[in-house]
Amino acid sequence: MTSGQRNPFQAHWKVGVSKDGMLQVLDADVYDNAGYSQDLSGVVMDHALTYMDSCYWIPHVHLRGHVCKTNTHSNTAFRGFAAPQGQYIAECIITAIADHLQMSVNELRWKNLYKEGRLTPFLQPLEDWHVPQIITQLKAESDYDARVQQLEEFNRTYKGKKRGISLIPTRFGLSLSTAVHLNQAGALVHIYNDGSVLLAHGGTEMGQGLYAKMCQIAALELNYPLDAIFTSETSSNTVANTSPTAASSGNYVDPLPMHFYFMQGAAISEVELDMLTSSHTGVCTDIKMDAGLSINPAINYGQIAGAFVQGQGLFTMEETLWQKNCELFTRGPGTYKIPGFADIPQVFNVGLLKGVKWAKLRSIQSSKGIGEPPLFLGASVLFALQEAVKAARESVALDSLATAERMRVAVGDWIVRWAKVEVKEGEKGFLVEAMA
């Protein structure tokens, strides 16, 4: 197998925190499994390190990234471009601190959220920072507090099933931040005597609705009816030196360094875990994203829902296993699982932030890119599963991926203890697990 997957990550970290739960310092070594060639793994590491703080202010940060060469296929960048890996590590740190201090993890998150104007570790001020408002609105609209009480009653009543709920925020910087020269764009517009308009641009349509949005932008700017705007296929003979359609910036490109602006959002996921089989059901997920003044809300809703489900698969299903002879074991639908219809939350609500102003946002029609930012919110399912296991055990630490097998071991009842196999000296397992 020559084509790779998303880079697996591992982090060794130390964190300093005050007794009242305020983050003070983070020191970490982060490891990126590149596979047999470098590919984009160096840039992936750069991006991951810029998301190690997620939505939380840490006054003192020292991070060291290590790109590791291994004897697997070459890994590369996928949707989210290492933001999910970096933010996942951040949320693991937050969860571990909350357990250690015996504090509500939501209280800890709220205490340490960034405030407007504070600097990130890479010295960029956070402007138009709306995560606190997003969380407040999301909790109110989803009736979060009442659901927590109902969940606690459910867990007291039922032994064979447990429920967990998790609230996870996210931020995602828009722009090709480590390759500033790629933050450029061009377009060619033909206006004909019959009133029709032909638009050529450098973006690639891959199902994300880019062409539809570009037609809407042209119609609004030219004050033309939408059905008079047509697009041609992307080609270098019409628009040369195009930038890659990546980093959720297909119709949002700017020459500024680092991030042009930050996408923000949050998700609340509730799950039900079968304590015997360790299969789980998504009971309800509520998502709210700051998309600015959305050009096309319908496309945005689809992008948010799709990214969430893809992230859910990343953190709970899509496990890679290798055999001892270096052959990939998980290479078909029988062994490599992706989300299906039954994995979509039974109640799935998606909303966009409203009622705020974007004073510093300088983008096309004050809108924001939406393709990649919601993917990390799929991790809310993993952390909800962790809370479900905690309802049966006092404490547990789950690593990604939260597969049914791992969940069964985490439950740790008498069946697991009875079935445990002690590895004898010289014995080796049948499968080799990649870093998760």
Side-chain angles (χ1 to χ4, degrees), residues 379-401:
S380 61
V381 175
L382 181 148
F383 288 101
L385 286 169
Q386 182 167 293
E387 294 301 314
V389 175
K390 285 181 181 179
R393 295 180 55 184
E394 291 185 359
S395 64
V396 63
L398 286 178
D399 290 330
S400 176
L401 294 70

Side-chain angles (χ1 to χ4, degrees), residues 69-293:
K69 183 177 181 179
T70 62
N71 61 346
T72 68
H73 54 54
S74 183
N75 293 309
T76 189
F78 277 77
R79 189 178 191 177
F81 214 109
Q85 293 98 312
Q87 291 186 90
Y88 169 72
I89 295 170
E91 291 298 338
C92 287
I93 293 171
I94 289 291
T95 303
I97 293 171
D99 288 344
H100 181 75
L101 296 178
Q102 297 183 337
M103 177 186 294
S104 163
V105 69
N106 285 334
E107 179 186 352
L108 184 67
R109 288 190 178 106
W110 184 261
K111 277 188 172 185
N112 289 283
L113 284 177
Y114 272 113
K115 291 181 172 58
E116 176 80 18
R118 275 185 169 165
L119 296 179
T120 65
F122 46 90
L123 303 181
Q124 180 167 352
L126 286 173
E127 299 173 335
D128 293 325
W129 181 246
H130 297 136
V131 168
Q133 294 97 315
I134 291 172
I135 292 176
T136 300
Q137 289 185 20
L138 187 62
K139 290 178 70 174
E141 293 171 5
S142 65
D143 202 12
Y144 177 78
D145 293 333
R147 285 170 58 189
V148 169
Q149 293 179 0
Q150 294 169 5
L151 181 146
E152 291 173 349
E153 179 62 28
F154 180 94
N155 288 339
R156 284 192 293 266
T157 304
Y158 297 97
K159 292 185 178 180
K161 293 183 178 181
K162 298 295 181 182
R163 289 188 176 184
I165 192 168
S166 178
L167 191 163
I168 298 291
T170 187
R171 71 166 171 87
F172 190 97
L174 267 291
S175 77
L176 296 160
S177 57
T178 57
V180 178
H181 65 283
L182 295 179
N183 289 314
Q184 60 180 357
L188 177 63
V189 180
H190 294 280
I191 302 177
Y192 296 99
N193 289 332
D194 63 356
S196 62
V197 174
L198 180 62
L199 169 65
H201 56 83
T204 301
E205 174 63 59
M206 57 187 90
Q208 81 278 37
L210 174 62
Y211 281 15
K213 283 190 174 183
M214 294 303 293
C215 287
Q216 286 182 276
I217 291 169
L220 288 169
E221 293 296 327
L222 298 174
N223 195 23
Y224 259 51
L226 183 60
D227 58 7
I229 311 292
F230 300 88
T231 58
S232 63
E233 293 293 330
T234 299
S235 175
S236 59
N237 69 342
T238 53
V239 179
N241 301 321
T242 61
S243 298
T245 304
S248 299
S249 58
N251 56 313
Y252 309 90
V253 182
D254 187 85
L256 294 176
M258 286 312 291
H259 302 299
F260 186 25
Y261 57 81
F262 289 102
M263 273 295 298
Q264 304 150 51
I268 296 173
S269 287
E270 182 179 351
V271 299
E272 182 175 300
L273 176 65
D274 188 308
M275 303 301 285
L276 181 61
T277 66
S278 291
S279 61
H280 72 269
T281 301
V283 177
C284 180
T285 289
D286 297 273
I287 303 174
K288 185 174 285 289
M289 296 294 296
D290 174 6
L293 298 177

